[in-house]
Amino acid sequence: MNSSNNYIYSLQPNPEGFFGQYGGTYISETLSNIINELKNHYYNIQNDESFWQEYQKELKYFVGRPSPISYAERITQSVNGAKIYLKREDLNHTGAHKVNNVIGQALLAKRMGKKRIIAETGAGQHGVATATICARYGLECIVYMGAEDIKRQVANVYRMKLLGAEVVPVNSGSKTLKDALNEAMRDWVTNVDNTFYIIGTVAGPHPYPAMVRDFQKIIGQECIQQMPEITGRQPDYIVACIGGGSNAMGIFYPYLNLKNTKLIGVEAAGKGLATGEHAASISKGSFGILHGNATYLLQDDKGQVTETHSVSAGLDYPAVGPEHAYLHDEKLADYVCATDEEAINAFNICCRLEGIIPALESSHALAYAIKLAKELDKEKIILVNLSGRGDKDMHTVAEYNGIQL
């Protein structure tokens, strides 16, 4: 690696949890004590070698890390442009990147003496990961999930129940991820003494955005080691899907010190940005406060959160993690969009040309990578974070294609 290509990105949120103007701790007084306790434990583990040894041991022997990087050779041949590689988070135990973070937070919960775990989930992957780790550690598990997402993700709901979790349907609002998070926060306020809330994305009140990032940065750290071994150098572009943004921040963060690698986050354009039926909070949102942090938010002119749409349940969220908002404003990463149709097309291409069934969330990143590769020279390299597998999306894709399973 050429040292002249390096610069230092060492941003941590300030003591109040802000990345620039984004982030913070906008919570009820009831939660202030538990948030302060969580912050103290989070700060204490930063240099606690025993914590990180246990964390790394779980990732290696339970999750199966490091996850490999695959060359998407047939997709690359089909686009006749830049080479496309896939970081295979779909091969983790539980089927996505979510488990990296859940293990870290569950270990913290054990240190804090919390035996009851709550979580929210959209696509179900965070819920499955939480239920899995709770089963492993003997913790009570309650997962809040929008009723609409329960319909879309029947298989993951059953997986969570098999693992011993209670899945609580949420019928308020749009019955999706935003509403599940609302209900989880209400539960937390009521049960602060015995409950740990495992948030699944890089959002929420401080210290969650930085903490989730720190448990997900293993993705990018592995890539920095793996890519020179595979290709002789680092990628020219890294592409990852963006809902709240945990998989993207996990791969972006270690690469922020390498200015020759461009970072691209892909939001859900749904049925098109002009239709209003999308989940593109950076592209079409404005400054606002939701779920304990200030960030880019989809809202009307009265500040009311607007309903979102995406074919992928995991991207169907009206805001983005505050560090992503900061990266956007500072032009340290680019943020673009892919529609439902583009994501489904990329899903089909990956299945048929690579023998890999990607999650619909990841398919948004792949869709943009395919488009980008066609515009680039053949010596360029694109690394896509394939954040999860698509078994959970079979009913959604079949329904989209007019097929009855």
Side-chain angles (χ1 to χ4, degrees), residues 119-124 143-154 157 160 167-184 313 316:
E120 87 295 329
T121 196
V143 179
Y144 289 90
M145 190 171 188
E148 184 62 31
D149 290 338
I150 285 176
K151 291 179 188 175
R152 292 195 279 187
Q153 302 293 340
V154 173
V157 173
M160 285 183 267
V167 181
V168 180
V170 177
N171 289 291
S172 57
S174 59
K175 305 178 185 179
T176 58
L177 182 58
K178 163 183 68 71
D179 313 292
L181 210 150
N182 287 341
E183 290 303 316
D316 203 356

Side-chain angles (χ1 to χ4, degrees), residues 14 37 164 202 279 281 300 302 347 356 360 364 387:
N14 70 16
E37 183 186 0
V202 285
S281 50
D300 62 23
K302 296 180 180 178
F347 175 96
I356 297 170
L360 281 175
H364 285 72
S387 56

Side-chain angles (χ1 to χ4, degrees), residues 88-97 125 128 153 156 159 347 356-362 386-394:
R88 300 293 303 281
E89 292 298 290
D90 59 309
L91 295 180
N92 293 339
H93 180 47
T94 75
H97 72 290
Q125 290 302 107
V128 168
Q153 302 293 340
N156 271 348
R159 288 172 73 191
F347 175 96
I356 297 170
I357 302 175
L360 281 175
E361 291 76 19
S362 314
L386 197 72
S387 56
R389 66 176 181 238
D391 310 52
K392 65 185 178 58
D393 295 316
M394 291 299 96

Side-chain angles (χ1 to χ4, degrees), residues 14 16 79 105 118 121 154 180 202 208 215 239 255 285 300 318 321 337-338 363 365 372-373 393 395 404:
N14 70 16
E16 287 73 44
V79 300
Q105 290 197 49
I118 59 172
T121 196
V154 173
V202 285
Y208 280 103
F215 291 138
V239 183
Y255 273 94
D300 62 23
C337 295
S363 298
L372 176 64
D393 295 316
H395 279 83
Q404 183 69 40

Side-chain angles (χ1 to χ4, degrees), residues 279-294:
S281 50
I282 290 181
S283 300
K284 300 296 285 185
S286 57
F287 182 88
I289 296 169
L290 182 67
H291 297 143
N293 70 127

Side-chain angles (χ1 to χ4, degrees), residues 7 9 11 19-22 256 282 296 322-335:
Y7 71 98
Y9 173 88
L11 179 76
F19 301 89
Q21 65 176 325
Y22 306 105
L256 283 162
I282 290 181
Y296 278 105
E323 192 167 4
H324 281 298
Y326 177 84
L327 295 182
H328 169 267
D329 285 8
E330 295 297 311
K331 302 189 186 317
L332 295 171
D334 294 330
Y335 294 87

